[in-house]
């Protein structure tokens, strides 16, 4: 029954040398408790508990959060190549952004033969989140299913096929249903001149939305700037004026036109890095923005690579 207790405290101070920015300070405290009960090396029950406290100045973004997770993993079958994993998670966050979430997740992998295996995932989420800008709290229940089949022909050809489905119901009456399928083929062949590579992938996604619009907020959404591609917000109906880009230290705030530019291209928002700004190529940033969810429409996407 291995058990561990971890404590972490971080105090970050930002003192600008110019007049364009304010002094900032962020204090993080985290306590993590973990214990496992090993019925055997292939059958383990785990319990996690985490407490977080964040104090941030001068922005009022303080919160306290408690999270409990119960997880069980059982490996079975020939060579223990198959496993079943159950994950039950509860999080309660209080402060500038209230969040209460219950999540139940099941993962199953079956090793049928040395060359053929399949994976399955079911997830249920019941979530109620508050708002930073006095919007109505959002209640959401979602159910998702995923299944994939993978076949390997010797060491040369890897074929994968998957299907997925997601349904979301909101307290406002809005409903979102998504269906998707993907197929990919990856060929590798060593020859006297080197390696021959050949890849093909195809995906088809259909999304149906029904119901009235409701404003929602996204916080600390992580993205990576990788030249020459921009960061893309795929959510439709993003309020461009609400976009805030920060470093992943959650302290440094970047400025539009000086560090990045925002462009609307069809249904998506593109954020481009300014080469002479403070955002480096390959850097991870956190993005906050406001979005309208709901509406009645169908969105179909077909892609090939």
């Amino acid at each position: 029954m291995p058990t561990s207790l971890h404590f972490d405290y971080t105090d970050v101070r930002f003192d600008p040398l110019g007049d364009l920015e304010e002094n900032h300070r962020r204090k993080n405290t985290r306590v993590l408790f973990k214990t496992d009960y090993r019925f055997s090396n292939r059958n383990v029950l785990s319990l996690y508990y985490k407490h977080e406290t964040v104090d941030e100045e001068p922005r009022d973004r303080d919160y306290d959060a408690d999270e409990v997770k119960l997880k069980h993993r059982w490996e079975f079958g020939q060579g223990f190549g198959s496993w079943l994993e159950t994950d039950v998670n509860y999080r309660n966050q209080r402060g500038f952004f209230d969040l209460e979430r219950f999540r139940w997740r099941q993962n199953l992998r079956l090793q049928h033969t040395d060359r053929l295996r399949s994976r399955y995932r079911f997830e249920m989420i019941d979530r109620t989140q508050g708002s930073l800008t006095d919007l109505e709290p959002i209640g959401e229940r979602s159910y998702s299913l995923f299944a994939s089949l993978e076949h390997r022909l010797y060491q040369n050809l890897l074929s994968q096929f998957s299907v997925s489905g997601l349904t979301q119901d909101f307290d406002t009456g809005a409903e979102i249903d998504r269906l998707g399928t993907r197929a990919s083929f990856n060929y590798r062949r060593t020859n006297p001149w080197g390696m021959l590579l050949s890849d093909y992938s195809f995906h088809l996604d259909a999304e149906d939305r029904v119901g009235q619009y409701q404003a929602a907020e996204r916080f600390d959404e992580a993205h990576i700037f990788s030249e020459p591609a921009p960061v893309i917000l795929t959510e439709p109906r993003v309020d461009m004026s609400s976009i805030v880009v920060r470093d992943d230290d959650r302290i440094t705030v970047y400025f539009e036109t000086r560090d990045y530019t925002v462009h609307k291209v069809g249904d998506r928002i593109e954020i481009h890095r300014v080469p002479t700004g403070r955002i480096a190529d390959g850097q991870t940033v956190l993005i906050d923005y406001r979005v309208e969810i709901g509406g009645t429409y169908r969105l179909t996407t077909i892609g090939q690579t």
Side-chain angles (χ1 to χ4, degrees):
M1 197 170 178
T3 302
S4 63
L5 180 64
H6 178 82
F7 172 79
D8 182 88
Y9 173 78
T10 305
D11 190 346
V12 181
R13 304 183 187 211
F14 176 75
D15 299 315
L17 301 180
D19 299 329
L20 295 178
E21 296 176 281
E22 299 179 279
N23 292 337
H24 291 272
R25 186 176 184 180
R26 179 184 174 93
K27 293 182 288 184
N28 295 65
T29 304
R30 185 180 66 166
V31 178
L32 176 63
F33 172 81
K34 177 185 176 182
T35 184
D36 296 335
Y37 185 81
R38 299 181 180 272
F39 300 96
S40 70
N41 289 335
R42 309 291 181 177
N43 188 356
V44 181
L45 180 66
S46 303
L47 173 66
Y48 302 80
Y49 169 73
K50 181 171 66 174
H51 176 77
E52 293 177 283
T53 300
V54 174
D55 297 312
E56 188 169 341
E57 302 172 359
R59 295 190 300 270
D60 186 16
R61 295 173 69 94
D62 303 346
Y63 70 85
D64 294 296
D66 295 285
E67 186 169 345
V68 180
K69 180 167 70 172
L70 189 64
K71 181 178 178 180
H72 178 256
R73 182 180 175 92
W74 173 45
E75 300 176 6
F76 60 94
Q78 184 177 4
F80 298 100
S82 302
W83 47 262
L84 174 66
E85 197 171 77
T86 302
D87 185 338
V88 179
N89 180 286
Y90 175 76
R91 180 179 178 88
N92 187 1
Q93 177 175 309
R94 292 98 38 208
F96 88 102
F97 185 72
D98 293 337
L99 172 67
E100 186 175 14
R101 182 195 66 207
F102 174 80
R103 184 183 67 205
W104 172 33
R105 181 183 293 162
Q106 292 280 165
N107 283 292
L108 172 65
R109 188 181 84 164
L110 297 176
Q111 187 78 37
H112 304 282
T113 67
D114 291 341
R115 301 179 183 176
L116 182 66
R117 66 185 182 186
S118 59
R119 295 191 65 169
Y120 309 89
R121 183 178 69 243
F122 166 78
E123 183 175 272
M124 185 275 287
I125 296 178
D126 190 332
R127 173 169 49 200
T128 302
Q129 67 182 43
S131 166
L132 181 63
T133 55
D134 298 325
L135 302 178
E136 288 294 324
I138 299 175
E140 171 196 353
R141 281 154 300 282
S142 67
Y143 303 88
S144 64
L145 287 169
F146 171 84
S148 69
L149 187 66
E150 178 183 296
H151 180 264
R152 182 179 294 276
L153 181 61
Y154 304 109
Q155 297 298 319
N156 302 117
L157 180 63
L158 179 65
S159 305
Q160 296 176 307
F161 175 76
S162 66
V163 293
S164 60
L166 168 69
T167 180
Q168 294 173 277
D169 295 319
F170 297 88
D171 289 347
T172 58
E175 297 179 7
I176 301 176
D177 296 310
R178 295 186 178 98
L179 292 174
T181 182
R182 281 166 171 71
S184 66
F185 304 90
N186 308 99
Y187 182 77
R188 302 287 185 271
R189 183 76 178 187
T190 304
N191 58 74
W193 299 278
M195 176 77 73
L196 173 66
L197 311 176
S198 179
D199 301 322
Y200 172 76
S201 64
F202 168 86
H203 70 91
L204 170 63
D205 297 287
E207 177 180 317
D208 289 334
R209 297 196 179 207
V210 178
Q212 63 182 5
Y213 288 113
Q214 178 176 352
E217 293 154 320
R218 302 285 187 262
F219 293 105
D220 294 345
E221 192 173 281
H223 293 271
I224 299 176
F225 278 100
S226 180
E227 292 292 347
V231 165
I232 297 175
L233 303 181
T234 56
E235 285 274 10
R237 298 180 177 85
V238 173
D239 181 359
M240 295 175 60
S241 64
S242 68
I243 294 175
V244 177
V245 181
R246 293 178 292 146
D247 192 6
D248 59 1
D249 63 7
R250 294 180 171 86
I251 293 292
T252 307
V253 179
Y254 298 113
F255 297 119
E256 188 176 0
T257 68
R258 173 183 164 185
D259 299 308
Y260 66 91
T261 58
V262 181
H263 305 274
K264 185 174 179 61
V265 182
D267 289 333
R268 68 185 190 182
I269 300 295
E270 294 186 354
I271 303 177
H272 295 258
R273 182 181 73 91
V274 175
T276 57
R278 294 173 295 166
I279 303 175
D281 183 22
Q283 180 177 335
T284 299
V285 297
L286 303 178
I287 301 179
D288 302 344
Y289 59 92
R290 182 168 169 169
V291 62
E292 294 280 345
I293 59 175
T296 300
Y297 63 89
R298 171 172 292 175
L299 179 67
T300 304
T301 305
I302 300 176
Q304 298 182 76
T305 304

